[in-house]
Amino acid sequence: MKQLQHFFKDKTVHQILDVGCGSGDFIKVLRDTFDEHTQITGIDPGEQWLKEARARFPQENINFSCMSGETLDFEDASFDVVSLSNALHHLKDLEQTLCEMKRVLKPGGWIIINEVANGDLTEAQENQKMLHHFKSFVDRLHGISHRQTWKPEEILAIIEHNKLSVIDSFEHLKMKKVNVEPHFLDEKYWQMESLQEELQGRPEYDQTKDQLPVFKERLEQYGFQTAPQLLVLAQAKNG
Ligand SMILES: C[S@@+](CC[C@H](N)C(=O)[O-])C[C@H]1O[C@@H](n2cnc3c(N)ncnc32)[C@H](O)[C@@H]1O
C-alpha cells in the first residue's frame, strides 16, 4: 500500500503488533511495507485463523499467538506500531482493546486502524454491505460479537473518543472493480442463503426469507464489490 510505505519511509520501526490478525490479510500489507528486519507479531483469539496464518507466513520475523485484544499478554511499551484491521467492529470490548493497544505501544509510536466503512457506497458495494450486515446479524443471534459497519466519520469519532489523535487517513479499495462474473455472484448468493439456513427454527427465519430474492436480483443488476476501507494513522494523546 503506497500511502503506508510513504508514511513510514523515514520512521524507525522494529516491532509491530497486529491485533485480530485472522488469517493474515493485513500481515501481508505490513510485510510489504516494512523490511525483513522488522519483527511482526499477529494475535487473534481464533486458533483456526492462526493455523492458516502460520502456514501462510513461515518467515522467521513473523510470529503468531492466540490471544484477545482486551487482554494483551505483552509488557508496556513493547511495540513501535500496533495495528487493527477490519476487527474494530468485531471487538467485544472496543474501549478496553484500544486501551490495551495504547499500553503496549512505545511512547511516540503509531496506531494503525484499518476498517471497512459504509459511507457513499455504490450499488455493487451496497450488495457487499447487505451480505456483511446479514452475517453480523446471524453472528449476534449466535452470541458472537459482530457489529454492523460504520461510516468513515463514525470510525474517526470512535478513534478520537478513545484518546487517539488522528494524524492521517485515507480510503482504499480491496476489490478495484465490480465483479459481475456469474460464478462469483452465485457464490455470494449461496453465502447469503446458507446464513439464512442457519436461522431455521427461529422466528428470524421467516422474517428474513424475503431478503434472498431481493439480494439475487440486486446481484444480477449491479454485481458485487467490497466497500472501501478507511485506514487511519493515529498516535496516543498525552494524559
Ligand atoms: C474480519 S477478520 C479481520 C482479519 C484481518 N485483520 C484482516 O484485516 O483481514 C476479524 C478478526 O477479528 C478477530 N477478533 C474477534 N474478536 C477479537 C478480539 N476480542 N480480540 C482480537 N481479535 C478479535 C476475529 O477472530 C477475526 O480474525
Side-chain angles (χ1 to χ4, degrees), residues 44-61:
D44 199 283
E47 191 53 68
Q48 76 279 18
W49 298 121
L50 293 174
K51 203 172 154 202
E52 242 181 82
R54 285 191 188 99
R56 204 168 153 197
F57 302 98
Q59 295 91 326
E60 269 181 24
N61 66 319

Side-chain angles (χ1 to χ4, degrees), residues 17-226:
L17 175 67
D18 186 37
V19 175
C21 64
S23 62
D25 282 6
F26 201 69
I27 296 274
K28 184 176 177 305
V29 174
L30 296 169
R31 187 204 58 191
D32 295 345
T33 303
F34 299 94
D35 67 27
E36 72 278 11
H37 303 296
T38 307
Q39 191 67 40
I40 303 175
T41 303
I43 69 105
D44 199 283
E47 191 53 68
Q48 76 279 18
W49 298 121
L50 293 174
K51 203 172 154 202
E52 242 181 82
R54 285 191 188 99
R56 204 168 153 197
F57 302 98
Q59 295 91 326
E60 269 181 24
N61 66 319
I62 306 181
N63 57 68
F64 298 94
S65 287
C66 192
M67 200 182 293
S68 285
E70 288 84 354
T71 47
L72 292 174
D73 192 10
F74 301 105
E75 299 286 324
D76 296 359
S78 300
F79 298 94
D80 304 289
V81 171
V82 181
S83 57
L84 180 79
S85 172
N86 288 322
L88 195 66
H89 68 288
H90 284 269
L91 299 171
K92 214 178 276 168
D93 192 334
L94 191 154
E95 300 201 345
Q96 171 66 16
T97 301
L98 291 175
C99 209
E100 277 289 88
M101 288 170 63
K102 280 186 283 180
R103 179 184 66 75
V104 301
L105 187 69
K106 289 182 189 169
W110 303 93
I111 299 261
I112 303 174
I113 294 184
N114 183 51
E115 182 71 5
V116 66
N118 72 23
D120 293 332
L121 301 183
T122 64
E123 293 295 345
Q125 293 166 346
E126 284 287 347
N127 284 343
Q128 190 240 350
K129 181 177 123 182
M130 233 174 129
L131 179 57
H132 188 181
H133 282 191
F134 193 54
K135 165 94 177 103
S136 75
F137 171 71
V138 174
D139 277 350
R140 287 195 299 279
L141 285 178
H142 290 325
I144 298 167
S145 162
H146 193 172
R147 296 175 185 82
Q148 293 197 345
T149 54
W150 292 289
K151 296 194 183 313
E153 57 274 23
E154 292 172 321
I155 297 169
L156 291 168
I158 290 169
I159 292 171
E160 291 279 1
H161 177 76
N162 283 278
K163 295 202 172 85
L164 287 162
S165 302
V166 173
I167 306 299
D168 197 4
S169 68
F170 57 87
E171 286 192 18
H172 61 102
L173 277 175
K174 192 171 173 191
M175 258 172 89
K176 304 275 181 248
K177 285 187 190 158
V178 175
N179 198 325
V180 291
E181 217 263 304
H183 281 306
F184 181 85
L185 299 181
D186 281 349
E187 230 174 75
K188 294 297 161 193
Y189 178 74
W190 292 330
Q191 281 176 20
M192 187 79 148
E193 196 179 44
S194 74
L195 284 167
Q196 217 265 333
E197 284 295 309
E198 286 183 36
L199 300 179
Q200 284 233 25
R202 293 178 181 265
E204 291 83 0
Y205 180 76
D206 285 333
Q207 289 159 13
T208 57
K209 239 183 2 207
D210 295 348
Q211 287 191 29
L212 282 174
V214 173
F215 187 59
K216 195 179 186 71
E217 207 179 306
R218 286 188 54 94
L219 285 172
E220 282 162 10
Q221 196 174 354
Y222 303 118
F224 187 95
Q225 186 180 27
T226 50

